[in-house]
Amino acid sequence: MFSKFLRRISVAVIGVIFLLGAFSGMSLCAKAQSPGTGELEVFQIEQVRAEMPQIQVYVRGVNANEACEAYLDGNALTSTGNQSLDENGTSYLIMLDISGSITSEYFLAAKKQVEELAQNLGPKDKITLITFGDTVKMQVSDSQNADEISKILALLQAKDKKTNLYRAFDQCLKYVEAESQKERQIVLVISDGIQDTGDAGITQEELETRLTQASMPVYAFCVDTADRQSRDGLGTFARTTGGELFVFGPQNAAQVWQKWKERLNQTVCLGFESTANYADGELHTLLLKETAGAQSDTRQIRITNWLVDDTAPEVISFRYDNEKNTIEIEFSEPVLGADKANAYRLKRNEKTQEIKGVVVKEKRCYQLVLPDDLPQGDYTLEMYGICDDSMEKNPLKESSLDFCKPFELRDAGWYILGGGILLLLFIVIFLWIKRKKNRVEQPVETQKVEYEIQHVVTEPKAVISSAGENSSSVKMLMELVSGAQAGRQIECTIYKSAIWGRSKEMCDVSFDDPRISKQHCVFEVRECGVVLSDLNSHNGTYVNGIKIPAEHLLHVGDTLQLGNIVLRVIQLAR
């Protein structure tokens, strides 16, 4: 009893496994079937048309809304979306066998289908007709004239003794290579096999390689009277190039050609773009695979065409980091030569220095490591030999960039001790004179804050007022970030505007600093906030290490430099 029970359990398990396997097989078959034909469709690249950096991939066995990924020599390509098959049209290169091995009944059926194809061409479609027998002749090239093609077909007869098939393929390939056509290219061969009785001096394997590298699929139409070996050989040849084999007879030629047309319409054109427009004439490997699926296909292609790139690369981001002693540069596109230290020179007062090194941050972003002993001052970064990654090697649009390294206490080196003593002595004398002056002079509403180089000598947080006290005002709290009084805060109340400079008579706020102009800059109160403008000073006004060319809207956290004075904005309040 127990053994019978086990046998029943085993039979049931086997039955369930069989049903699951059958269901899985049906699902896979349903996925692989071609819509409209009911036949299995394999994920396969039909052909690739490359005009760098643009690449079009014609593929079968994939839905139009199914995402795919493409890689050229392992480098990912950017998808530009699906493209219409009619956008560029199709070039049909028809090779018609006129040897006597094709009977008149089959020959007439084939000519009729070619004539019908010519009569139903799309707006951008065209036909090139090549006949092969004792000789190879191009009857018509790139024609859209159906009447012209019909007249040529009417004069053709299949009566030659030889079959120069390989020579016909050779002429077809040379014609395509010379024309450098951009549209989809379909080769149709109408014959009774792959046998060649001519003297082309080229083997079948060489033809397959050239057709594959040229990315030209061959669709073969073989008469059904051909022997099995000839038919299979022609089919293998067609599939190797990305095409297929179709067998026809006089009675079913129209149905077979309709099936071929449906096959062509099931092909999806996928657009991709490379980062460069290189066309070196060498072989490259294209990999296409489903993003969500497991299917993939590869194709060896020879890239010879490209689009001209006349756009020069630009610097779209330039940032000097004083703390890290680095410069970060971002270019508008991938460039060559920017990863080499000798491509950069630092120039100051007609003297040049080399940078320490370059770190590649991203594909278009580079970090320059500056020398450790770089003194403070204005610098120009000059760039040499940098160009875009293209066939044209367009040089960089800008060749130099300016920046300023602010003054730091450690830059003084061994002179800091002597300078500090002299500065301290000067401050003591200055405070004594000011104190004595304040005893005899009445205080005024508007006070002046005076600086010795890097030092504030007024009382802390003195209120600085300016003309137009009845208008809108902004209270600005600033902190010295350099010099002996680093960390000291200054509170300034600005009415309408306030001019800063070296002149005590011409400015609202004055500094005793020879690097500061008499009237150096002006702060203006506007609806948007406080706007800082340089007054054509000799040494310029800097915000966050960058020399301002015109107006600059101040924000909390900004660092200002006037001459040797460096301050940080802590608060801006109305």
Side-chain angles (χ1 to χ4, degrees):
M1 292 292 290
F2 183 70
S3 60
K4 289 182 179 182
F5 176 75
L6 289 178
R7 283 196 298 270
R8 290 176 181 176
I9 292 295
S10 301
V11 171
V13 170
I14 293 172
V16 170
I17 293 174
F18 177 78
L19 290 174
L20 290 174
F23 178 76
S24 300
M26 291 172 62
S27 300
L28 290 173
C29 290
K31 181 178 180 181
Q33 283 181 350
S34 300
T37 66
E39 297 187 2
L40 294 179
E41 183 71 47
V42 179
F43 184 89
Q44 183 183 25
I45 296 174
E46 181 199 67
Q47 64 179 288
V48 181
R49 303 249 64 83
E51 190 175 30
M52 302 303 287
Q54 298 177 4
I55 299 175
Q56 293 174 318
V57 183
Y58 295 86
V59 59
R60 295 193 298 267
V62 62
N63 295 325
N65 57 354
E66 190 171 357
C68 290
E69 301 172 0
Y71 300 84
L72 187 64
D73 295 332
N75 299 313
L77 301 175
T78 301
S79 173
T80 57
N82 294 4
Q83 300 180 9
S84 170
L85 294 176
D86 299 327
E87 183 174 341
N88 293 319
T90 302
S91 176
Y92 298 97
L93 298 110
I94 303 175
M95 298 169 54
L96 180 60
D97 188 349
I98 58 172
S99 65
S101 60
I102 307 293
T103 63
S104 59
E105 190 178 11
Y106 283 86
F107 192 67
L108 287 173
K111 290 199 298 181
K112 182 179 180 180
Q113 296 308 314
V114 174
E115 186 175 2
E116 183 179 337
L117 176 64
Q119 293 171 351
N120 294 279
L121 290 176
K124 296 184 179 180
D125 297 344
K126 51 192 177 183
I127 286 179
T128 296
L129 178 60
I130 299 174
T131 56
F132 61 95
D134 294 339
T135 59
V136 176
K137 182 178 180 181
M138 182 175 290
Q139 301 288 347
V140 66
S141 63
D142 293 339
S143 176
Q144 293 181 308
N145 191 331
D147 293 336
E148 177 189 22
I149 295 172
S150 296
K151 291 178 181 179
I152 293 173
L153 289 170
L155 299 174
L156 296 178
Q157 295 181 1
K159 60 180 182 179
D160 287 7
K161 295 181 180 181
K162 292 184 179 181
T163 306
N164 275 289
L165 176 61
Y166 292 177
R167 188 181 296 277
F169 269 119
D170 182 60
Q171 182 170 335
C172 178
L173 282 165
K174 288 178 179 178
Y175 170 72
V176 171
E177 292 167 356
E179 293 295 315
S180 298
Q181 296 171 333
K182 303 176 184 178
E183 64 271 8
R184 183 186 185 189
Q185 294 173 339
I186 302 295
V187 179
L188 281 74
V189 178
I190 306 171
S191 185
D192 57 355
I194 193 64
Q195 294 84 1
D196 181 86
T197 59
D199 54 354
I202 184 173
T203 66
Q204 179 180 334
E205 290 75 16
E206 290 173 336
L207 274 179
E208 291 175 355
T209 300
R210 288 178 61 188
L211 286 165
T212 303
Q213 293 176 1
S215 194
M216 291 175 57
V218 175
Y219 289 91
F221 290 84
C222 184
V223 297
D224 59 12
T225 56
D227 60 77
R228 185 61 179 268
Q229 183 178 359
S230 299
R231 186 189 307 176
D232 291 346
L234 188 58
T236 302
F237 178 82
R239 286 187 290 273
T240 300
T241 65
E244 291 184 68
L245 172 69
F246 295 87
V247 180
F248 75 99
Q251 305 302 323
N252 69 343
Q255 291 85 351
V256 172
W257 279 67
Q258 181 60 33
K259 177 181 174 182
W260 165 71
K261 293 174 185 176
E262 292 174 356
R263 257 308 197 256
L264 291 186
N265 292 331
Q266 291 163 9
T267 302
V268 177
C269 181
L270 306 178
F272 296 94
E273 187 169 281
S274 176
T275 57
N277 67 343
Y278 280 123
D280 53 11
E282 300 295 330
L283 284 177
H284 298 269
T285 302
L286 179 82
L287 167 65
L288 183 71
K289 66 177 183 178
E290 295 176 308
T291 301
Q295 297 189 96
S296 65
D297 193 18
T298 59
R299 178 64 63 91
Q300 293 284 321
I301 59 173
R302 191 179 299 278
I303 299 177
T304 57
N305 300 326
W306 75 93
L307 294 173
V308 175
D309 177 9
D310 56 4
T311 302
E314 301 180 51
V315 176
I316 60 175
S317 177
F318 177 85
R319 181 175 177 270
Y320 167 63
D321 191 324
N322 185 43
E323 295 183 0
K324 296 181 179 179
N325 199 35
T326 59
I327 292 176
E328 286 194 4
I329 301 178
E330 184 178 0
F331 299 96
S332 57
E333 59 181 293
V335 295
L336 301 175
D339 57 339
K340 297 178 174 56
N342 59 8
Y344 306 92
R345 291 288 188 277
L346 285 175
K347 191 173 182 180
R348 177 174 178 261
N349 298 331
E350 303 302 324
K351 295 182 179 180
T352 60
Q353 281 185 277
E354 293 186 356
I355 66 171
K356 290 180 62 177
V358 181
V359 179
V360 181
K361 303 289 287 184
E362 295 176 6
K363 186 173 290 186
R364 299 179 303 171
C365 188
Y366 300 83
Q367 184 183 71
L368 313 184
V369 182
L370 304 181
D372 295 330
D373 57 347
L374 196 67
Q376 63 92 23
D378 297 331
Y379 287 87
T380 297
L381 177 68
E382 296 180 342
M383 294 171 279
Y384 303 91
I386 298 177
C387 62
D388 64 4
D389 190 9
S390 70
M391 292 287 288
E392 292 72 22
K393 300 291 188 295
N394 297 302
L396 189 65
K397 191 172 184 179
E398 310 96 338
S399 59
S400 63
L401 296 166
D402 297 327
F403 71 97
C404 175
K405 179 178 175 64
F407 177 82
E408 294 181 1
L409 193 60
R410 64 172 179 266
D411 292 336
W414 293 105
Y415 297 98
I416 190 64
L417 183 60
I421 295 173
L422 293 175
L423 197 57
L424 182 60
L425 180 61
F426 181 82
I427 290 174
V428 171
I429 295 174
F430 182 82
L431 290 175
W432 180 80
I433 295 174
K434 186 172 181 62
R435 184 177 179 183
K436 184 176 181 181
K437 183 179 179 181
N438 288 340
R439 289 179 181 177
V440 296
E441 295 182 0
Q442 293 297 326
V444 293
E445 294 182 2
T446 302
Q447 299 182 10
K448 303 284 186 178
V449 178
E450 298 182 359
Y451 292 82
E452 175 59 12
I453 297 176
Q454 302 296 324
H455 294 275
V456 180
V457 297
T458 187
E459 294 297 325
K461 293 191 177 181
V463 176
I464 302 174
S465 58
S466 61
E469 293 184 357
N470 294 327
S471 61
S472 60
S473 63
V474 170
K475 183 178 291 185
M476 182 169 61
L477 184 61
M478 309 184 78
E479 181 184 41
L480 282 166
V481 297
S482 64
Q485 297 190 34
R488 179 175 179 179
Q489 295 183 352
I490 304 171
E491 184 180 288
C492 308
T493 301
I494 301 175
Y495 297 94
K496 269 192 176 180
S497 64
I499 297 177
W500 289 24
R502 193 177 73 249
S503 174
K504 296 180 181 180
E505 293 77 15
M506 301 168 63
C507 300
D508 298 289
V509 178
S510 61
F511 304 85
D512 189 6
D513 186 344
R515 285 179 55 82
I516 296 178
S517 299
K518 289 183 179 180
Q519 285 188 317
H520 197 95
C521 62
V522 60
F523 296 80
E524 296 179 88
V525 178
R526 299 184 185 175
E527 291 184 2
C528 59
V530 177
V531 175
L532 173 63
S533 303
D534 186 78
L535 296 177
N536 295 322
S537 63
H538 181 71
N539 292 311
T541 303
Y542 293 81
V543 177
N544 300 324
I546 304 298
K547 187 176 183 179
I548 61 172
E551 298 179 349
H552 181 87
L553 180 62
L554 286 180
H555 298 87
V556 174
D558 283 350
T559 300
L560 281 61
Q561 181 175 358
L562 290 71
N564 293 317
I565 307 300
V566 183
L567 309 98
R568 183 182 292 112
V569 179
I570 297 177
Q571 181 181 352
L572 292 170
R574 289 185 181 272

